[in-house]
């Protein structure tokens, strides 16, 4: 039985990854921050099948202790301050978690579990003001937010520890991946949740910053499979993960509202409050390397994904009454 250590296990990706690894027979240990509350909603159905261990990406000693105690075969670093908009208002905290936190994880691995395999969650936001389209592993990076900058640091420190210390470490450069477990602050879930509330008479509109930004959206359940595949290779390497197709926020609204029998133009309002100081206009992946070397292809298309999310939000709000 292999042992996997997951930071960020209470998040969208962490919950799907834990499900995947349990199905493959892993012992799954999740790192959680000590808190007065227990925000385990996404993993509530798994808590009796996984182990939870207190540690913090801001505290080096706790990470070393965790790795010494668990002795993992695989480490998945998914924890981060992951919302781009928040990175503008909390840039220092974003840097501590999303950038320096990766170094702390790698240092802990180097000291306590040097034979393990390490996955770092990199992001398409590193491409920012894109230098070529579509974006591939060799595309120059040009981040356009504190979050993107922090992810660039995390990406390159992973490469550095791999090359400098011989650690088995990879980065997955994941493009936008969504699900019914996505946080309500992210635009896809913001829209699908609004559709549900409008359909049920609990709201009349949703306010967005732009309709023209284009993204490569896929299903989070598919993307955690790519993470696992990266750690099963003979040699470590970095991979772009995405669908290779791009959609606008406008098209997101069209699909989501139409699925509920609504006209999006009657309910979507633009509000400059939700515009970023520096916008990222276009992100689209070239996942050729992942397809060729990992045998990975996405199974859920854009329309099915958004419809899945609308259905889940409708069911949730109906259950809430």
């Amino acid at each position: 039985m292999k042992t996997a250590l997951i930071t960020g296990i209470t998040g969208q990706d962490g919950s799907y990854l834990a499900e995947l690894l349990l199905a493959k027979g892993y012992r799954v240990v999740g790192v959680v921050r000590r808190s007065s509350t227990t925000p385990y909603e996404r993993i509530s159905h798994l808590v009796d099948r996984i182990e939870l261990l207190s540690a913090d990406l801001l505290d080096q000693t706790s990470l070393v202790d965790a790795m010494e105690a668990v002795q993992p075969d695989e480490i998945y670093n998914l924890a981060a301050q992951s919302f781009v908009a928040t990175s503008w208002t909390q840039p220092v905290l974003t840097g501590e978690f999303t950038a320096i936190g990766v170094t702390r994880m790698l240092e802990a691995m180097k000291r306590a579990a040097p034979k393990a395999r390490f996955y770092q969650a990199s992001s398409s936001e590193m491409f920012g003001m894109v230098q070529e389209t579509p974006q591939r592993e060799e595309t120059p990076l040009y981040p356009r937010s504190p979050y993107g900058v922090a992810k660039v640091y995390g990406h390159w420190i992973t490469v550095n520890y791999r090359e400098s210390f011989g650690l088995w470490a990879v980065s997955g450069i994941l493009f936008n991946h969504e699900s019914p477990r996505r946080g309500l602050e992210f635009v896809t879930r913001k829209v699908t949740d609004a559709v549900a509330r409008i359909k049920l008479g609990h709201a009349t509109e949703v306010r967005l910053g732009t309709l023209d930004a284009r993204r490569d959206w896929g299903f989070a359940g598919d993307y955690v499979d790519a993470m696992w595949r990266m750690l099963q290779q003979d040699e470590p390497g970095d991979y772009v993960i995405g669908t290779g197709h791009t959609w606008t926020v406008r098209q997101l609204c069209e699909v989501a509202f139409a699925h509920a029998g609504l006209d999006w133009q009657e309910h979507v309002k633009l509000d400059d409050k939700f515009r970023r100081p520096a916008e990222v206009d276009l992100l689209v992946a070239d996942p050729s390397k992942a397809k060729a070397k990992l045998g990975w292809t996405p199974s859920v298309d854009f329309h099915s994904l958004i419809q899945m999310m609308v259905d889940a939000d409708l069911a949730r709000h109906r259950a809430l009454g």
Side-chain angles (χ1 to χ4, degrees):
M1 178 187 290
K2 285 186 178 180
T3 297
L5 182 71
I6 304 173
T7 71
I9 196 170
T10 60
Q12 170 189 252
D13 293 4
S15 66
Y16 280 112
L17 179 62
E19 287 177 347
L20 175 77
L21 296 178
L22 287 170
K24 293 182 180 296
Y26 278 66
R27 171 194 176 208
V28 175
V29 182
V31 170
V32 293
R33 301 181 70 196
R34 189 174 299 279
S35 172
S36 58
T37 60
T38 54
Y40 298 163
E41 178 185 356
R42 295 184 181 96
I43 58 169
S44 59
H45 61 299
L46 302 175
V47 290
D48 60 342
R49 301 171 60 200
I50 62 177
E51 301 170 43
L52 296 177
L53 191 64
S54 292
D56 197 313
L57 260 65
L58 302 184
D59 180 50
Q60 183 72 66
T61 301
S62 71
L63 297 177
V64 173
D65 290 346
M67 290 194 196
E68 284 182 341
V70 174
Q71 286 299 300
D73 299 289
E74 297 175 2
I75 302 164
Y76 296 86
N77 185 39
L78 310 184
Q81 190 301 101
S82 60
F83 188 44
V84 175
T86 297
S87 78
W88 291 106
T89 57
Q90 297 183 315
V92 175
L93 182 68
T94 299
E96 283 286 351
F97 274 111
T98 309
I100 304 301
V102 185
T103 309
R104 295 190 185 102
M105 285 293 294
L106 289 163
E107 272 294 304
M109 175 188 175
K110 182 161 68 81
R111 296 182 188 187
K115 301 301 183 183
R117 295 189 170 196
F118 181 88
Y119 172 86
Q120 165 60 16
S122 290
S123 169
S124 60
E125 286 286 331
M126 301 190 307
F127 295 121
M129 185 180 288
V130 297
Q131 303 300 292
E132 66 175 353
T133 299
Q135 292 88 55
R136 55 199 177 95
E137 290 78 9
E138 294 78 21
T139 298
L141 307 178
Y142 196 139
R144 294 270 282 172
S145 67
Y147 170 79
V149 172
K151 280 293 185 182
V152 169
Y153 178 98
H155 177 79
W156 279 112
I157 200 67
T158 302
V159 173
N160 185 262
Y161 270 62
R162 179 172 71 215
E163 295 178 351
S164 300
F165 303 113
L167 296 184
W168 210 105
V170 306
S171 286
I173 307 172
L174 271 56
F175 281 64
N176 296 68
H177 45 290
E178 320 297 318
S179 76
R181 301 178 193 173
R182 190 59 141 156
L184 288 166
E185 67 272 25
F186 292 87
V187 68
T188 49
R189 186 74 193 291
K190 181 178 180 179
V191 168
T192 62
D193 180 71
V195 167
R197 288 185 291 111
I198 292 168
K199 180 67 174 179
L200 298 175
H202 304 320
T204 59
E205 66 178 30
V206 59
R207 293 183 172 268
L208 303 174
T210 180
L211 297 176
D212 299 322
R214 302 184 71 91
R215 292 292 186 272
D216 183 333
W217 279 301
F219 174 51
D222 287 336
Y223 287 42
V224 299
D225 175 60
M227 298 176 189
W228 175 79
R229 288 172 185 251
M230 289 180 211
L231 296 197
Q232 312 315 308
Q233 302 305 300
D234 292 335
E235 298 294 333
D238 304 325
Y239 295 85
V240 161
I241 303 296
T243 70
H245 302 285
T246 183
W247 307 87
T248 64
V249 176
R250 180 178 285 101
Q251 290 170 308
L252 161 66
C253 293
E254 290 171 354
V255 173
F257 279 89
H259 187 59
L262 300 170
D263 182 351
W264 72 273
Q265 296 182 78
E266 295 178 3
H267 304 286
V268 175
K269 311 296 181 185
L270 291 179
D271 189 336
D272 287 341
K273 180 174 69 174
F274 297 108
R275 292 190 66 85
R276 298 179 182 179
E279 191 58 65
V280 174
D281 298 320
L282 169 66
L283 293 174
V284 57
D286 176 0
S288 302
K289 180 181 176 183
K291 182 177 181 180
K293 294 197 171 186
L294 304 180
W296 179 86
T297 54
S299 66
V300 179
D301 65 29
F302 174 73
H303 287 75
S304 300
L305 169 64
I306 301 306
Q307 291 165 1
M308 173 206 307
M309 293 173 67
V310 170
D311 289 341
D313 279 322
L314 279 167
R316 182 173 60 89
H317 280 289
R318 284 179 177 134
L320 292 171

